[in-house]
Amino acid sequence: MSLYHEAASVLTRASKTTDSLSSLVYSDKSLKSAPKQVYALVVEAAKWSPVISKIVELAGLLKIERKLTPQLAIVLVHDLLLSKQGIALPKGHGLRNAVEKCKARLSAEFTKARIKAGYSTVEAWRVVVGKKEVDSSESAPRPRHPRWVRINTLAGLDPMATTFAEYKKVSLSEVCLASSDDKLLAVDEHIPNLIALPSGTDVTKTSAYRDGSIILQDKASCFSAYLLNPSQDDGDIVDACAAPGNKTTHTAALLAGARKNTAVESGVPQTVYACERDKGRAQILAKMTKIANPRDTANIECLLGQDFLRLSPQDKRFNNVGALLLDPSCSGSGIVKRGGGATAESLQVTLPGATPQEDTTKRPSKSSKKRKRKAELPPPIANLPSGADAGEQEEVISEENEEAPDSEESLRTRLTNLSAFQLKIVQHAFAFPVAKRVVYSTCSIHAEENENVVVKALRSPIARQRGWRVLRKEEQVDGMKRWHVRGDLEATKSILNDGEDGDGVEDAKTIADACIRCVKGTADGTMGFFVIGFVREEAIDIAPGSARRQESEATGAEEEEEDWSGFDSD
């Protein structure tokens, strides 16, 4: 039977990539076993791996049975000790025989571990495993990444009065410590229409999820559209790298709200153009925007298969584009998977005979030595939550997942290539004739993709020619102005002082303060994220309520430019 080999393979691949366990399972078309069965085994085995690995070591299983890999041992021993049906293999099967030879010793060590952990029964221990990190030495639950839910105002319904009517409003810290069974929610203090639920809360079977009234979106991901703060004066908007559509629909919702709150509403409907060059992701974008905009409240036009860098700013369709949202491909180093989608970063799968810092994806030969990983994985912030089948949720594909580099040198090479591409995206946005507002964001923790791109963009000829600068902290919309984590000042100083001409670029402190960062694994409950706003000096329209509110002085004059041929995306 292939179930155990396939589950072991998932655990092996999970240590090499930032992809979620659910993504690894449900994207594998070669599976012979039912994906749900493989996923369930992998999740439970991962939860119990700190306990099982210790038991396997004490029982000497891998020394006795050389044919077993650490990953196979984890999944087989899990079913031997914790599955009511036992190992799902016929009697006499080689793998089953290999493990059952040591059944007495394994069972004895498991009982010792249970008693040492202070549980009278396996069931009592099993309940706790689902609510806190799987570690027999852990005595108190650790905060977990919350389930962020955005109320989609485009749908015109009120899930707070229906789906969440019985939920109690508490603080974010209480939500992060709660079980998925607890009906608690925290109303976010920075982003309107955003709530946090306990990790693992399953809302995918609710009518609010099915009809698009709620959208699963990390708080940090909501910063982009909120910082853009679209208004009726901005004209049309372009979302340059739009799939799966969360930021697109959030932008459209904010725009619709701004129009609704304006005393004199323009008779010309504004359009949100959503670009996505990848054909597969483009289909997801089309589906997402359709579900989230059931009443056609917003005018969203999906440019499916369209590469933003091949989009001409001189195209007459975009004569009225005044704002652009940029969230290009990045290293994904800030991603924290939710909804059962733990990664090697958010969950340590402990293997017998090795520490989490050792590379145990391959069993060493007798003549080889175990090689340590080039960089330690950060500590887990959450155990895998129970709930809906994460592989069926849109959120699974909400961000680009990149394979983790295997060395510092390859990481630097990758960051150099990514930042060059990201800079092209920003410069291309600066070229749109009447654009006066641009927001750039990444789910990266690296300064190369963040502050470095910002400074290089400000130094570019197109930025200086057209008067682009950062949207300063005091000019930002209220929730973003109050956010406490700003840019990396030292990284900003470094790039400003690297020998390039800095004339015309604002000082490091102003730029760093204009940058907004989110740090994963903190009490803020966000993934790692970076966002910055750019504005054109002669067309600045500061956010309502800011200290530097100004009225835009539109002269109607248009700059004469050469025909735009587009940046080379190769």
Side-chain angles (χ1 to χ4, degrees):
M1 187 177 179
S2 57
L3 172 63
Y4 295 104
H5 285 292
E6 290 172 339
S9 175
V10 171
L11 292 179
T12 300
R13 286 181 285 140
S15 65
K16 300 178 181 179
T17 178
T18 58
D19 284 355
S20 66
L21 294 178
S22 57
S23 178
L24 290 172
V25 172
Y26 287 93
S27 64
D28 189 348
K29 303 304 181 183
S30 67
L31 291 179
K32 296 180 180 178
S33 306
K36 287 186 177 181
Q37 190 177 13
V38 175
Y39 181 72
L41 176 56
V42 168
V43 168
E44 290 304 312
K47 285 183 182 181
W48 285 95
S49 64
V51 176
I52 295 175
S53 62
K54 189 67 175 178
I55 291 168
V56 169
E57 289 175 1
L58 292 173
L61 179 62
L62 296 180
K63 293 180 179 179
I64 297 171
E65 297 296 335
R66 298 284 182 177
K67 69 177 74 173
L68 293 178
T69 65
Q71 292 85 358
L72 263 177
I74 289 290
V75 293
L76 286 165
V77 173
H78 170 273
D79 275 10
L80 175 72
L81 300 176
L82 291 158
S83 173
K84 293 180 180 180
Q85 289 76 32
I87 297 176
L89 292 170
K91 290 183 178 180
H93 192 283
L95 288 179
R96 178 170 174 173
N97 287 345
V99 176
E100 289 187 342
K101 284 180 183 178
C102 298
K103 182 176 181 179
R105 183 67 187 276
L106 289 166
S107 297
E109 294 297 344
F110 183 66
T111 300
K112 290 179 184 178
R114 173 177 58 77
I115 294 173
K116 184 178 180 180
Y119 299 102
S120 58
T121 65
V122 173
E123 290 308 312
W125 199 2
R126 195 191 300 272
V127 169
V128 176
V129 164
K131 293 187 177 182
K132 70 182 183 110
E133 221 142 6
V134 186
D135 184 344
S136 58
S137 64
E138 190 79 46
S139 59
R142 296 177 60 176
R144 299 183 291 172
H145 194 85
R147 162 70 77 189
W148 290 101
V149 175
R150 177 166 63 82
I151 308 300
N152 177 31
T153 54
L154 291 177
L157 302 173
D158 184 12
M160 294 297 288
T162 54
T163 302
F164 304 116
E166 297 180 3
Y167 280 64
K168 179 182 178 182
K169 293 182 181 179
V170 296
S171 66
L172 177 61
S173 60
E174 290 177 274
V175 165
C176 291
L177 289 171
S179 162
S180 58
D181 296 328
D182 297 328
K183 290 191 173 184
L184 304 176
L185 67 80
V187 176
D188 189 64
E189 60 178 305
H190 299 97
I191 306 294
N193 299 307
L194 184 69
I195 61 174
L197 305 177
S199 178
T201 301
D202 179 18
V203 295
T204 62
K205 296 180 177 61
T206 64
S207 59
Y209 180 82
R210 291 192 297 269
D211 63 25
S213 296
I214 59 174
I215 292 174
L216 307 182
Q217 185 173 0
D218 192 274
K219 174 177 178 174
S221 175
C222 296
F223 281 19
S224 303
Y226 187 52
L227 181 63
L228 187 67
N229 191 33
S231 72
Q232 191 166 303
D233 297 330
D234 287 327
D236 297 333
I237 299 171
V238 171
D239 186 351
C241 315
N246 288 345
K247 295 180 181 69
T248 303
T249 56
H250 190 197
T251 301
L254 291 171
L255 184 58
R259 287 173 59 86
K260 184 178 180 180
N261 294 330
T262 302
V264 179
E265 188 172 314
S266 170
V268 180
Q270 292 165 272
T271 299
V272 178
Y273 294 101
C275 298
E276 179 51 55
R277 69 177 182 178
D278 182 88
K279 292 183 179 180
R281 289 171 62 83
Q283 295 305 315
I284 296 169
L285 170 65
K287 175 183 176 182
M288 176 67 178
T289 53
K290 183 178 180 180
I291 293 174
N293 189 32
R295 303 186 304 159
D296 292 328
T297 305
N299 187 21
I300 302 174
E301 183 175 335
C302 294
L303 305 179
L304 306 183
Q306 175 65 59
D307 184 345
F308 174 67
L309 289 177
R310 300 297 184 186
L311 203 69
S312 172
Q314 305 302 325
D315 190 317
K316 292 182 179 180
R317 288 179 297 171
F318 311 120
N319 282 348
N320 194 39
V321 169
L324 297 96
L325 189 65
L326 317 175
D327 189 58
S329 296
C330 68
S331 62
S333 51
I335 294 174
V336 173
K337 284 296 172 180
R338 303 164 294 280
T343 65
E345 291 185 335
S346 63
L347 173 71
Q348 287 178 316
V349 178
T350 306
L351 299 175
T355 63
Q357 287 75 39
E358 293 176 341
D359 187 356
T360 57
T361 59
K362 294 183 180 179
R363 294 195 67 187
S365 63
K366 292 183 179 180
S367 61
S368 69
K369 295 182 179 180
K370 295 178 180 177
R371 296 187 302 166
K372 292 188 177 180
R373 298 177 65 89
K374 297 293 182 181
E376 292 185 8
L377 294 173
I381 66 167
N383 64 306
L384 282 169
S386 59
D389 184 349
E392 297 176 353
Q393 298 182 20
E394 294 289 352
E395 191 182 19
V396 170
I397 45 75
S398 64
E399 300 288 353
E400 295 273 359
N401 294 323
E402 307 293 349
E403 186 169 339
D406 57 8
S407 70
E408 183 68 18
E409 182 180 357
S410 63
L411 173 61
R412 293 303 149 198
T413 299
R414 175 164 175 70
L415 292 179
T416 298
N417 293 335
L418 281 168
S419 61
F421 165 73
Q422 292 154 352
L423 179 59
K424 285 183 179 182
I425 292 283
V426 178
Q427 291 174 311
H428 190 58
F430 284 174
F432 279 73
V434 299
K436 59 183 179 180
R437 191 181 296 270
V438 168
V439 164
Y440 167 75
S441 62
T442 73
C443 52
S444 170
I445 64 174
H446 302 296
E448 290 89 338
E449 300 177 89
N450 299 329
E451 289 85 358
N452 288 20
V453 170
V454 171
V455 173
K456 289 178 180 178
L458 292 172
R459 281 179 166 157
S460 67
I462 188 72
R464 296 188 180 193
Q465 174 191 351
R466 298 179 61 77
W468 287 98
R469 66 168 176 83
V470 295
L471 177 67
R472 298 168 190 139
K473 179 181 178 181
E474 64 269 20
E475 298 168 343
Q476 295 169 3
V477 66
D478 181 63
M480 297 292 87
K481 182 170 56 179
R482 290 188 288 106
W483 183 251
H484 62 107
V485 186
R486 313 310 291 190
D488 187 332
L489 180 59
E490 293 307 312
T492 307
K493 287 180 179 179
S494 177
I495 188 65
L496 281 173
N497 298 328
D498 68 355
E500 296 183 34
D501 177 16
D503 291 345
V505 178
E506 293 176 280
D507 64 277
K509 182 68 164 60
T510 298
I511 295 173
D513 279 349
C515 299
I516 296 169
R517 276 182 173 269
C518 296
V519 182
K520 64 180 177 180
T522 68
D524 293 325
T526 68
M527 66 179 181
F529 203 75
F530 174 90
V531 63
I532 178 75
F534 298 96
V535 291
R536 284 178 65 192
E537 188 66 47
E538 69 274 19
I540 180 69
D541 181 17
I542 306 303
S546 69
R548 295 172 55 90
R549 172 75 179 179
Q550 301 177 16
E551 292 295 331
S552 175
E553 297 179 357
T555 63
E558 297 184 359
E559 298 179 10
E560 294 183 1
E561 301 181 25
E562 297 180 0
D563 288 342
W564 178 259
S565 58
F567 288 103
D568 185 0
S569 62
D570 297 331

